[in-house]
Amino acid sequence: MENYLEQLNEAQKEAVLNTDGPSLVIAGAGSGKTRVLTYRIAHLLRQGVAPWSILALTFTNKAAREMKERIGQIVGQEVASKLWMGTFHSVFAKILRVEAEHAGFPSSFTIYDTTDSKSLVNSILKNMKLNKEKAYKTGTVLGRISAAKNDLIIPPVYARDAQRTTADAASRIPRMPEIYQKYMSECKKAGAMDFDDLLLNTNLLFRDHPDVLAKYQERFKYILVDEYQDTNFSQYLITRKLAEKYKNICVVGDDAQSIYSFRGAKIENILNFRNDYQGYKLFKLEQNYRSTRTIVNAANSIIARNDKQIQKTVFSQKDEGQKINMIQAHSDVDEGFIVINDINETRLRHQCQYKDFAILYRTNAQSRIFEEALRKKNIPYKIYGGLSFYQRKEIKDLLAYLRVTINPKDSEALKRIINYPARGIGKTTMEKLEAIASQHDVSLWEVITNPGLPNAGFNSGILKKLSSFSTLIGGFISQVPNMSAFDITNEIATQSGILKELHTDKSHESQTRLENLEELFNAIREFSDERQEGGEDNGLVDFLEEVSLLTDQDNDSSDDINKVTLMTIHAAKGLEFKNVYIVGVEEGLFPSGMASTTEPGLEEERRLFYVALTRAEERATLTCSRSRYKFGELTFARPSRFLGEIDQQYLNIPEESQSFAKPKPGMPGMGKTTRRKFNLEDETPEKKKVNFSGKVLQNNRPEPKFNSRDLAAPNQIQPGVMVEHERFGHGKVLHLEGNAPNIKATVFFKNAGQKQLLLKFAKLKIIS
């Protein structure tokens, strides 16, 4: 490929050709940063630089493979194969194996994955007799250890770190320093490192062995780092040490797309590059080749509100494109129907394929509504970077409890829950129980509830635990006939200890699992209400049957890539789609209620919104809901402040979605830039509503919940009448059937389609 430089614009070419000294390449969304990195390396090789003297660090193996392949097309695969190119972990694992003697590990050291690390932590907690203390959760402990390693805090330093030990004491895990020390000792004894150790031990190697550091400083005359805004302190320090001699370091990234602080990434690494490397060169890649001018300009108007950023003006020379659609749905269920209906219409109107569509959400739990709507429309889809909602561990755990409650002979479900949450029924006990069940050809439940079990050789402690478990399940079984599916599920989640365990563990993982369980409650509530209104059975058996049918994947094919993509925004970074739906854009959800309490947190949420919007090539749609279920209770939502921060000229707002809640004074992020959008001095104690032009609407009180005086009596509902439903929104009554008190109405709802409702339960309002 002789003419590779001709494929670059002027800004890209400048970044490729200027190879000496420190360089910071700020690459806006869709600006071709991968091409610049690739061609910069190829250009170095063309200039006679030895491939083994170039170190290129990426964040994914896929990125490294693709770059090396493209470089090989220019300079030849044999030359490209000699590059030191890969992820931070893979490159430094290679160095640690070469320098194993200095690092104090065998060259054949094992690399522990997360499962191995969790198992080791569990063993340590058990040996320290901490496994029964509820505060010492495996995920919490491992999270603390990982955070310490990424900050280069080793056990002796951890024990002297007042801030960390104070936080541990407040979380009722004061023995963390001892656990951390034991964890490191056991890894060393086993000749093993976890992922974080690969970076920590590389730093220790370079600190304790200056001769080793000097060797690699001499070898790597040119260093390139991709996605520099995502580096943590440990990664930052390694690259800085290696670049000290020749200072030919080039980092590429975009501060506006720094969204991984929860993994330890520090935006300061890219913002402070100019302080670390005096005389650095700055290159800005500002032309977006991905999106329409409207999408790029709208994204710019959002990110301009962040204070912490390197100024740049991203632009597009593509078509202006259509305005960004803004839709406010009546409910979260309504939101799902609207998005899926719009996908169908857009696909037909613009001759798109399903793979041209992506639904992006802030939390994994939000996928459930859209999965069910897609299934009902028989639209193929895939969950990217995560499991289907009903396949997630916490969902399967609670569903297993429900299955055992309905059918205690379901041994597979029983094995899943008998020791979750932990109740001291271990592997040895389970092996004995399964042997007895097999010997007598009965279910595990029949063994556990058999009065003759004491004769099977179990000690009194185990018998007591088994009896307690069978009593717990027996209590659930007895309550099924008298409770709704929602109420019995709530009872099981509470009495089993599942909710308490997740509430106690403050880790990011547990918070996500709790959000997913919240969505399961919502699914059961919606199922119960809809079935009741339709005069159909809505018990627990019926719900489990529906879930079983929904999760039937007989028609799924991993080879079929023509599917709508569902993913979190974090997972979407680096991807692009013709049509993007950013859903649930509401206060407390996006921005996240936890993240938006501080200015840095809010700025990262705004960067996340910027990332989401810039995934779209041709069309973007933003949706929010007026109401949303939370743990089975209907709550009213306020549109996200981000919707009011977008320059209004780039938005298309349907008449029925014009009103949006006005941000309150003092809300984080309401700085000087936001004040230009809203006149805060006119704010009164009464909550107002504003449209995107800033005009105060007459109806400025919060939307009330449906109450009895709003609802129509069954005898008021007649064919042709326009009605409003709490979840399905506006619809028209088509016809009635049956006699009082069991009259059924067939109603066609604008977004939810045709429904048959039992009027005595339907909660309909007549609208003009």
Side-chain angles (χ1 to χ4, degrees), residues 49-158:
V49 176
W52 51 84
S53 67
I54 299 174
L55 172 63
L57 299 168
T58 66
F59 273 83
T60 66
N61 289 311
K62 179 183 177 183
R65 284 195 303 270
E66 290 177 353
M67 285 173 59
K68 188 173 286 189
E69 183 178 334
R70 289 165 69 175
I71 292 167
Q73 292 171 0
I74 301 173
V75 300
Q77 296 298 337
E78 185 179 353
V79 174
S81 67
K82 297 174 182 176
L83 289 165
W84 279 67
M85 175 180 285
T87 65
F88 279 88
H89 294 93
S90 65
V91 167
F92 296 119
K94 182 178 178 181
I95 289 177
L96 285 169
R97 291 197 190 281
V98 173
E99 307 297 339
E101 183 179 347
H102 293 102
F105 281 80
S107 60
S108 59
F109 64 80
T110 300
I111 299 176
Y112 278 173
D113 62 15
T114 303
T115 302
D116 297 321
S117 296
K118 285 184 175 180
S119 178
L120 177 54
V121 169
N122 284 332
S123 297
I124 291 170
L125 294 176
K126 183 178 179 180
N127 293 335
M128 292 176 66
K129 297 183 171 31
L130 296 174
N131 55 319
K132 294 188 175 74
E133 295 190 27
K134 296 178 180 178
Y136 287 93
K137 302 296 182 187
T138 304
T140 302
V141 170
L142 200 55
R144 298 287 176 102
I145 292 174
S146 177
K149 289 181 179 181
N150 286 333
D151 287 338
L152 303 182
I153 302 295
I154 57 178
V157 178
Y158 191 108

Side-chain angles (χ1 to χ4, degrees), residues 39 55 93 133 153 168 172 220 224-225 234 309 330 361 402 405 502 508 515 546 555 599 611 625 634 658 687 691 716:
Y39 288 5
L55 172 63
E133 295 190 27
I153 302 295
D168 291 341
R172 296 181 293 115
F220 299 132
L224 300 95
V225 185
S234 186
Q309 63 175 299
H330 186 84
Y361 33 78
L402 302 185
T405 300
L502 293 177
H508 178 76
E515 291 170 352
E546 176 155 300
N555 297 321
E599 195 65 36
V611 167
S625 172
L634 188 68
Q658 283 286 322
K687 184 188 291 183
N691 62 16
Q716 293 177 288

